[in-house]
């Protein structure tokens, strides 16, 4: 059971838009920055979004992030077949057991 | 070009120890915090441990606290994870990851290695 809750799967057609939610609590998302990662099959995770809504160099603006209260959302527009991957949210948890936490991951299928 | 290369994984019996290493290059190693993240076969990501740029702060997931120790040698641009009292549930691909900042208390990993596989089995 992950500390952060993501939907197990989402799907959409090429060219469409999809959002992936990440729900947490005041000890994690509510008081810390959220990052998002893309993991293509058989590869290491790749940072897509950090500090809730910032994109590292080289990440297209089709990817966006937002945060409100204890939830965060990753948006992907103009879906491509190459976007099929697992997506994870991550943040810090400032509770007694302070440390990093990830969501359980969301499998994106581009139909 | 930033490179993180993990090593030290392998097959180990329950209760035994293993030491993972991560060789970093392409960036100023002692400017950044570092993390170990693992992924069990077919499962999601799990943060294992993190360390600040100067080793002043470290942290561990509850699942490994008291058994694993993270360390770094900035002179050698290397990160380590000493794993003791290994259990079957520690079986996973272990990734070394660079944080975007120097401090401890955030999780934003902008570069990842390819991982080293640890299998705990008798």
């Amino acid at each position: 059971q992950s500390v952060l809750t993501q939907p197990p799967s989402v799907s959409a057609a090429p060219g469409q838009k999809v959002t992936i939610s990440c729900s947490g609590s005041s000890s994690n998302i509510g008081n810390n920055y959220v990052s998002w990662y893309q993991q293509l099959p058989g590869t290491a995770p790749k940072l897509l979004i950090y500090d809730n809504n910032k994109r590292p160099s080289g990440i297209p603006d089709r990817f966006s992030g937002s945060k409100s209260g204890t939830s965060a959302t990753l948006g992907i527009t103009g879906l491509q077949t190459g976007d099929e991957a697992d997506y994870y949210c991550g943040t810090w948890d400032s509770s007694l057991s302070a440390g990093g936490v990830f969501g359980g991951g969301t499998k994106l299928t581009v139909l | 070009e930033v490179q993180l290369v993990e090593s030290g994984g392998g097959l180990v019996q329950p209760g035994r120890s293993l030491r993972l290493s991560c060789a970093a290059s392409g960036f100023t190693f002692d400017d950044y915090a570092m993390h170990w993240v693992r992924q069990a076969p077919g499962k999601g990501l799990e943060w294992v441990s993190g360390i600040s740029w100067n080793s002043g702060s470290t942290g561990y997931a509850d699942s490994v606290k008291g058994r694993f120790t993270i360390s770094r040698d900035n002179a050698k641009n290397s990160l380590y994870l000493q794993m003791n009292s290994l259990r079957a549930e520690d079986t996973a691909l272990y990734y070394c990851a660079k944080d975007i900042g120097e401090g401890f208390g955030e999780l934003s990993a902008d570069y990842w290695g390819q991982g080293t596989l640890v299998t705990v089995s008798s």
Side-chain angles (χ1 to χ4, degrees):
Chain A
Q1 191 92 6
S2 302
V3 172
L4 306 180
T5 301
Q6 296 180 234
S9 64
V10 296
S11 61
Q16 296 300 302
K17 173 182 177 178
V18 71
T19 60
I20 298 173
S21 62
C22 176
S23 178
S25 68
S26 59
S27 67
N28 43 66
I29 292 179
N31 282 284
N32 293 288
Y33 287 121
V34 176
S35 53
W36 288 91
Y37 304 86
Q38 176 193 61
Q39 188 175 34
L40 297 168
T43 69
K46 175 182 179 181
L47 180 66
L48 292 177
I49 299 289
Y50 68 99
D51 288 359
N52 303 332
N53 55 20
K54 297 177 182 176
R55 282 178 286 106
S57 174
I59 300 301
D61 58 7
R62 300 189 299 108
F63 296 91
S64 64
S66 63
K67 187 181 100 168
S68 178
T70 59
S71 293
T73 301
L74 173 70
I76 311 173
T77 59
L79 277 172
Q80 303 172 1
T81 55
D83 295 332
E84 277 210 350
D86 292 322
Y87 292 84
Y88 295 90
C89 58
T91 188
W92 196 258
D93 194 298
S94 306
S95 64
L96 285 177
S97 299
V101 290
F102 288 101
T106 298
K107 170 65 177 177
L108 169 63
T109 301
V110 181
L111 302 168
Chain B
E1 178 193 7
V2 172
Q3 282 199 318
L4 297 169
V5 180
E6 303 93 338
S7 60
L11 174 63
V12 61
Q13 293 179 328
R16 303 298 291 265
S17 299
L18 211 56
R19 189 194 195 206
L20 305 184
S21 299
C22 172
S25 61
F27 65 101
T28 305
F29 184 68
D30 56 10
D31 275 353
Y32 298 96
M34 298 292 294
H35 305 276
W36 287 101
V37 176
R38 69 185 181 184
Q39 187 168 33
K43 302 297 184 183
L45 303 176
E46 180 187 14
W47 181 84
V48 173
S49 183
I51 187 167
S52 63
W53 68 278
N54 63 352
S55 305
S57 296
T58 60
Y60 302 90
D62 285 345
S63 57
V64 306
K65 201 170 291 183
R67 300 187 299 123
F68 290 11
T69 302
I70 191 172
S71 62
R72 65 190 295 164
D73 186 336
N74 288 344
K76 295 183 177 180
N77 289 345
S78 294
L79 177 72
Y80 307 101
L81 186 67
Q82 178 67 43
M83 305 186 296
N84 298 332
S85 303
L86 282 162
R87 306 167 179 168
E89 53 265 36
D90 295 319
T91 294
L93 186 63
Y94 284 73
Y95 292 105
C96 162
K98 169 191 169 294
D99 201 277
I100 61 171
E102 64 180 19
F104 184 76
E106 288 193 19
L107 176 59
S108 292
D110 59 348
Y111 289 94
W112 299 62
Q114 288 306 301
T116 186
L117 183 62
V118 173
T119 304
V120 183
S121 174
S122 54

